[in-house]
């Protein structure tokens, strides 16, 4: 412990050590050390190196510079808002008595113990219903009709690049599944954009696109089997949660970014102060002349 | 009352002492265990203010004494503290 304290004693400024170092080491030898002494010596060294003048002249300006830089970055980075919706796909196995298309509404009730299509089939179908929401032509039509990424459009950014950007801001994710008399899978469709209202509109369009694909796929299946032919499964699609509208931007708020910038700048200023060595050249000279 | 500068000045008011003796003395009369960083922080400030001064040649166990200015400062501080103590006691008695 004494060795640790002596080592920590070297953190004091050189000029101070030249004047008080030997006495300080002697006191560490005489005294029975305790754990609190470590913090005490560390704090003492810090106080010797950093004065109020340093805080005002170096640390505070560095903190303000950090805050200004953070503000600049935050101002150049547009806020993004998220909107999402949840779409639920369900597949029921139809009982023979319900295989008549005229009775289809009644057949949508799952019979006891009956399962829907297998998970693999459902997953495959899900991909077919969800993926059209990412289709290039569809996204181009949304970008143009909703005037998304308008500044980039005005700057003649290639449309393919905007499609890629939009895809990066779309998040399609399965959020749960269940096998309870039927196979159910839910998908979350999210879109992030700089305007919350447009984010919400786009999510509604993406959900509509999925529903269209689902209906087309189901109709194609019915057509393939023949309208009056026996059917094994019935499928439903439901919007579990309507597209959300949020005025709270994603990520760290600008105020917090500025606060973080101030803290980072202050920390840099503090490190700069500590690296400068003693409190000031004048004080060092005074201490040396006194010693 | 745990202002280390007042504690060091009060300790030196009883005579010249080196750092370790000050620590022991302060613990005895004030019940406060000053750490080495705190003690030498106070010694540095007090010497810079001219309220204490080293005695004799430089030594590993350097003695310090109270200067006249230090004595006056301690006197002033203790009178202030005394006023606060007396006021507090009087008010407590009236409760």
């Amino acid at each position: 412990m004494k060795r640790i304290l002596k080592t920590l004693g070297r953190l004091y400024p050189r000029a101070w050590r030249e004047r008080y170092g030997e006495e300080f080491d002697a006191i560490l030898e005489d005294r029975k050390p305790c754990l609190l002494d470590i913090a005490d010596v560390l704090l003492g060294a810090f106080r010797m190196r950093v004065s109020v003048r340093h805080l005002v002249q170096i640390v505070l300006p560095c903190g303000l510079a950090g805050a200004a830089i953070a503000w600049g970055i935050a101002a150049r980075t547009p806020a993004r808002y998220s909107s999402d919706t949840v779409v639920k796909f369900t597949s029921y196995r139809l009982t023979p008595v319900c295989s008549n298309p005229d009775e289809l509404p009644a057949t949508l009730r799952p019979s006891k113990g009956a399962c829907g299509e297998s998970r693999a089939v459902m997953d495959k179908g899900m991909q077919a219903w969800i993926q059209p929401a990412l289709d290039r032509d569809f996204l181009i039509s949304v970008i143009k009709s909703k005037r998304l990424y308008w500044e980039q459009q005005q700057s003649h950014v290639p449309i393919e690049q905007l499609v890629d950007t939009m895809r990066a801001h779309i998040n399609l994710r399965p959020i749960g599944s269940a096998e309870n008399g039927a196979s159910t899978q839910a998908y979350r469709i999210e879109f992030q954009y700089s305007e919350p209202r447009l984010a919400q509109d786009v999510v509604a369009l993406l959900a509509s696109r999925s529903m269209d694909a689902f209906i087309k796929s189901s109709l194609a299946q019915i057509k393939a089997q023949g309208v009056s032919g026996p059917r094994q499964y019935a499928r439903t699609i439901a919007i579990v949660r309507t597209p959300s509208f949020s005025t709270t931007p994603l990520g760290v708020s600008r105020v917090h970014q500025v606060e973080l910038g101030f803290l980072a700048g202050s920390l840099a200023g503090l490190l700069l102060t500590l690296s400068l060595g003693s409190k000031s050249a004048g004080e060092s000279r005074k201490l040396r002349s006194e010693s | 009352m745990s202002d280390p500068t007042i504690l060091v000045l009060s300790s030196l008011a009883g005579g010249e002492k080196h750092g370790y003796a000050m620590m022991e003395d302060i613990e005895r009369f004030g019940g406060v265990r000053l750490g080495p960083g705190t003690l030498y922080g106070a010694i540095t400030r007090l010497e810079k203010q001219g309220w204490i001064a080293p005695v004799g040649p430089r030594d590993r166990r350097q003695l310090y004494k109270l200067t006249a200015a230090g004595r006056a400062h301690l006197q002033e501080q203790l009178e202030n503290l005394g006023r606060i103590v007396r006021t507090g006691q009087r008010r407590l008695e009236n409760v």
Side-chain angles (χ1 to χ4, degrees), chain A residues 20 23 29-31 40, chain B residues 33 37-38 47 60-61 64:
Chain A
Y20 296 101
E23 297 174 45
E29 283 165 17
D30 292 343
R31 180 186 160 95
D40 188 71
Chain B
R33 189 178 192 271
T38 307
E47 196 184 348
R60 274 175 67 77
R61 285 171 180 76
Y64 288 92

Side-chain angles (χ1 to χ4, degrees), chain B:
Chain B
M1 224 295 291
S2 58
D3 180 356
T5 56
I6 299 295
L7 291 171
V8 170
L9 289 174
S10 298
S11 176
L12 291 181
E16 298 168 358
K17 286 181 193 70
H18 54 70
Y20 183 69
M22 278 187 239
M23 280 173 136
E24 295 277 291
D25 186 41
I26 289 167
E27 195 163 356
R28 209 165 29 246
F29 79 78
V32 179
R33 189 178 192 271
L34 286 188
T38 307
L39 176 73
Y40 267 87
I43 288 176
T44 308
R45 282 196 302 277
L46 291 169
E47 196 184 348
K48 197 172 143 198
Q49 296 275 356
W51 291 335
I52 65 171
V55 181
R58 287 284 305 281
D59 185 36
R60 274 175 67 77
R61 285 171 180 76
Q62 179 69 53
L63 288 171
Y64 288 92
K65 68 173 182 185
L66 199 60
T67 63
R71 189 170 294 280
H73 176 73
L74 179 62
Q75 190 74 39
E76 188 187 330
Q77 293 298 311
L78 292 180
E79 277 169 14
N80 285 340
L81 278 171
R83 248 198 320 276
I84 293 167
V85 170
R86 282 193 297 278
T87 306
Q89 280 176 338
R90 202 169 48 245
R91 288 181 181 177
L92 275 174
E93 283 163 12
N94 292 338
V95 170

